[in-house]
Amino acid sequence: SVAIDIFKYAIPYSDIFGGVTAFHSSDILGTNGHPTVYWGWGGEDDDIYFRVVKKLKKSIIRYPIEIARYKMIRTHGHTAAESNSHRLTILHSKYDYNLDGINTTNYTLHNIVFYKLFTLINVTLPEESFEHIRTRLHIKNKN
């Protein structure tokens, strides 16, 4: 997203990423998909940004700020998740993106519902402890 109401329709930092994005399927596969190691709020959008820039060596193309304007919608009792206290440790660890993503995703499929404009795929992901994530991604302990 380029301009969002909660940021007064300005970009708060140059490498902000998330909200409304579009990918070619080959780029999603090339990044190994979205990360699965962020539980709670924060980090996952920045992680996919780094996957695009560092792993694919591509730049982010943004529509002009006058066109790409969005309003953050908080409806139907939606509340934001609590901040992930480990998000910055994971994000700045420079872990190998091949260790997390499409190739490591485990889930339980509940159902698939086909609508006219989209398909809803309902799954449950098993939550990992930070210690398990740290071990899996080879993130060193800060002592």
Side-chain angles (χ1 to χ4, degrees), residues 34-45:
H34 282 269
T36 65
V37 292
Y38 295 93
W39 293 92
W41 181 87
E44 75 288 345
D45 292 346

Side-chain angles (χ1 to χ4, degrees), residues 6-123:
I6 62 169
F7 299 130
K8 298 183 177 161
Y9 297 105
I11 296 175
Y13 54 97
S14 64
D15 54 359
I16 189 169
F17 189 77
V20 179
T21 58
F23 283 92
H24 191 279
S25 58
S26 63
D27 289 335
I28 282 290
L29 293 173
T31 62
N32 194 22
H34 282 269
T36 65
V37 292
Y38 295 93
W39 293 92
W41 181 87
E44 75 288 345
D45 292 346
D46 295 316
D47 193 299
I48 194 71
Y49 170 85
F50 289 130
R51 289 174 183 237
V52 170
V53 172
K54 293 179 179 179
K55 188 168 174 40
L56 294 181
K57 302 199 182 326
K58 290 191 173 188
S59 58
I60 304 301
I61 300 169
R62 301 178 194 275
Y63 279 98
I65 202 164
E66 301 81 30
I67 296 173
R69 297 171 64 84
Y70 298 91
K71 182 169 178 59
M72 182 73 71
I73 300 173
R74 299 276 187 220
T75 60
H76 307 291
H78 178 272
T79 56
E82 288 187 30
S83 293
N84 177 339
S85 61
H86 303 291
R87 70 187 184 278
L88 296 178
T89 301
I90 298 168
L91 186 63
H92 297 298
S93 69
K94 300 178 182 172
Y95 72 92
D96 180 350
Y97 300 127
N98 292 317
L99 298 175
D100 179 62
I102 293 171
N103 64 336
T104 62
T105 301
N106 295 306
Y107 60 89
T108 301
L109 176 63
H110 298 290
N111 64 347
I112 301 174
V113 182
F114 297 95
Y115 292 93
K116 288 182 180 179
L117 297 177
F118 66 95
T119 301
L120 175 65
I121 303 171
N122 185 3
V123 301

